[in-house]
């Protein structure tokens, strides 16, 4: 297999160990056996479809490449990833806005400049070609979900690349901050491993999604043989129930979001309750149904 890959991409290179320092001009893949070989293919010698094929055949590895970090970005990178000294901050609290591009086959310099333009007052660290962190110091008007949705939409329309953001929680700048960041990083990694449907995530949005994906098998089986049976027969019903619950059980708002008459919405709600025997007016039942709808949507 390796020889065929090397002959197909004659400009590719191989390493027996992690290639450090890594070149930003290569995509790196690793064999999954006990003595892996690292394969580097020039980014300008592989198409998008070929890249996706290689990702399916080998483990795609994005190596950290922070050789161009200077000043504040370098200080924060050392602090968060390499047990560096506490960086100087203009305020007492900061939060981390993580971002991940859903394609690494892009003109990175253009994306770098675009994000710098969107966040001129914040420190940005590109940890990998498709992943980075924006460090936002707490001020009067912080970035909000709508702002990031707008930025994601602009990047997709201008650069044809989808991006996901995770807005972290403000924390005191202290030696405990790297540990808190690692926890938030884990949340974002799990989110993007399971879904890339949304452009902007918060902890409140992430929590039920991750909870739904980590349900014990016996709970999944109970949900599958009860609530999800109603959804299996009618996918439109699942979307309706999810929107209804996400709209705080507001029928008028839900009908507006679904572009249906309120009577149509009520008919679907009654149909679900008749099939399952579950009343959505009960808070505990509504929580279970909502988690079930998320679990079904992520399967």
């Amino acid at each position: 297999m390796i020889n065929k890959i090397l002959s197909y991409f004659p400009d590719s290179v191989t390493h027996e160990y992690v290639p450090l320092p890594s070149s930003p001009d290569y995509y790196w893949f690793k064999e999954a056996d006990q003595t892996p070989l690292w394969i580097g293919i020039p980014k300008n010698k592989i198409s998008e479809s070929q890249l996706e094929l290689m990702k399916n055949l080998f483990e795609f590895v994005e190596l950290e490449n922070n050789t161009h970090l200077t000043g504040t970005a370098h200080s924060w990178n050392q602090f968060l990833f390499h047990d560096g000294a506490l960086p100087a901050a203009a305020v007492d609290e900061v939060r981390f806005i993580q971002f991940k591009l859903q394609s690494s086959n892009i003109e990175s310099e253009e994306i770098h400049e675009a994000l710098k333009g969107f966040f001129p007052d914040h420190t940005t660290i590109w940890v990998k070609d498709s992943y980075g962190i924006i460090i936002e110091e707490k001020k009067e008007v912080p970035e909000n979900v709508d702002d990031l949705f707008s930025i994601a939409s602009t990047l997709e329309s201008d650069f044809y690349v989808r991006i996901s953001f995770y807005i972290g929680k403000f924390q005191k700048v202290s030696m405990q901050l790297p540990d808190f960041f690692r926890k938030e990083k884990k949340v974002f990694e799990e989110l993007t491993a399971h879904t890339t449907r949304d452009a902007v995530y918060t902890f409140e949005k992430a929590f039920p999604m991750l909870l739904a994906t980590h349900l014990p098998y016996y709970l999944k089986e109970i949900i599958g043989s009860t609530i999800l049976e109603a959804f299996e027969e009618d996918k439109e019903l699942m979307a309706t129930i999810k929107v209804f619950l996400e709209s705080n059980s507001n029928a008028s708002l839900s009908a507006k979001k679904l572009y249906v008459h309120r009577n149509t919405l009520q008919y679907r709600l009654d149909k679900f309750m008749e099939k399952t025997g579950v009343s959505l007016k009960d808070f505990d039942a509504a929580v279970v149904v909502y988690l079930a709808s998320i679990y079904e949507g992520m399967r």
Side-chain angles (χ1 to χ4, degrees):
M1 173 68 79
I2 294 296
N3 290 334
K4 290 182 179 180
I5 295 297
L6 296 178
S7 63
Y8 194 80
F9 298 102
D11 295 314
S12 58
V13 296
T14 60
H15 288 273
E16 293 184 359
Y17 304 98
V18 180
L20 295 174
S22 62
S23 170
D25 299 324
Y26 285 79
Y27 290 121
W28 291 98
F29 303 89
K30 185 175 70 171
E31 287 185 294
D33 58 22
Q34 294 181 345
T35 55
L37 188 69
W38 296 74
I39 309 165
I41 300 177
K43 293 181 178 180
N44 60 355
K45 299 292 184 179
I46 186 171
S47 67
E48 187 73 29
S49 59
Q50 290 170 334
L51 178 61
E52 291 305 312
L53 178 60
M54 286 294 295
K55 288 180 180 179
N56 289 324
L57 294 174
F58 300 95
E59 180 184 350
F60 177 60
V61 182
E62 286 190 273
L63 301 174
E64 293 187 16
N65 182 21
N66 298 309
T67 55
H68 302 297
L69 293 178
T70 58
T72 305
H74 176 72
S75 298
W76 275 103
N77 179 70
Q78 293 297 110
F79 177 59
L80 292 175
F81 296 103
H82 304 289
D83 297 323
L86 194 70
V91 295
D92 293 334
E93 295 184 36
V94 300
R95 71 177 177 184
F96 305 105
I97 301 176
Q98 300 177 70
F99 60 88
K100 183 176 178 61
L101 304 175
Q102 294 179 26
S103 171
S104 55
N105 196 11
I106 56 174
E107 294 296 329
S108 58
E109 288 303 320
E110 293 183 6
I111 299 295
H112 285 211
E113 288 302 315
L115 280 177
K116 186 177 179 181
F118 286 125
F119 303 102
D121 300 324
H122 306 328
T123 300
T124 301
I125 301 174
W126 283 86
V127 181
K128 300 177 181 178
D129 285 347
S130 63
Y131 169 76
I133 313 159
I134 298 162
I135 300 166
E136 179 185 7
E137 297 185 347
K138 191 172 186 179
K139 296 179 180 177
E140 279 189 29
V141 185
E143 304 291 343
N144 59 48
V145 171
D146 291 338
D147 292 335
L148 294 180
F149 265 116
S150 178
I151 291 170
S153 177
T154 301
L155 288 174
E156 185 169 359
S157 62
D158 290 357
F159 297 97
Y160 306 103
V161 60
R162 296 187 64 188
I163 188 171
S164 294
F165 290 101
Y166 179 84
I167 305 175
K169 297 290 188 182
F170 279 108
Q171 293 287 302
K172 294 285 186 182
V173 179
S174 69
M175 294 306 294
Q176 286 71 48
L177 193 55
D179 184 58
F180 183 81
F181 166 71
R182 283 190 288 271
K183 293 180 173 68
E184 289 195 327
K185 186 172 182 289
K186 179 65 174 176
V187 170
F188 191 42
E189 286 173 350
E190 290 207 30
L191 275 176
T192 52
H194 287 103
T195 179
T196 53
R197 291 181 294 113
D198 296 311
V200 183
Y201 297 96
T202 60
F203 179 75
E204 290 74 18
K205 188 176 184 67
F207 186 79
M209 298 178 73
L210 295 182
L211 195 61
T213 60
H214 287 82
L215 290 174
Y217 76 93
Y218 56 89
L219 292 184
K220 292 178 181 178
E221 289 184 355
I222 294 173
I223 288 175
S225 61
T226 55
I227 296 170
L228 293 185
E229 277 192 356
F231 290 158
E232 286 288 347
E233 298 170 5
D234 189 346
K235 295 297 183 182
E236 188 179 57
L237 184 60
M238 181 185 75
T240 299
I241 299 300
K242 190 169 184 291
V243 169
F244 176 69
L245 294 175
E246 288 177 341
S247 302
N248 299 316
S249 301
N250 184 312
S252 298
L253 179 59
S254 302
K256 184 177 180 181
K257 287 182 178 179
L258 292 164
Y259 301 101
V260 299
H261 193 276
R262 180 166 173 162
N263 290 343
T264 302
L265 172 67
Q266 190 60 53
Y267 168 76
R268 293 178 183 174
L269 297 177
D270 292 341
K271 181 181 177 182
F272 170 78
M273 287 188 276
E274 181 181 340
K275 280 188 172 184
T276 63
V278 176
S279 173
L280 295 176
K281 295 179 181 179
D282 180 80
F283 176 78
D284 293 331
V287 170
V288 173
V289 173
Y290 183 60
L291 289 175
S293 70
I294 293 176
Y295 171 68
E296 174 66 10
M298 297 177 72
R299 284 203 297 175

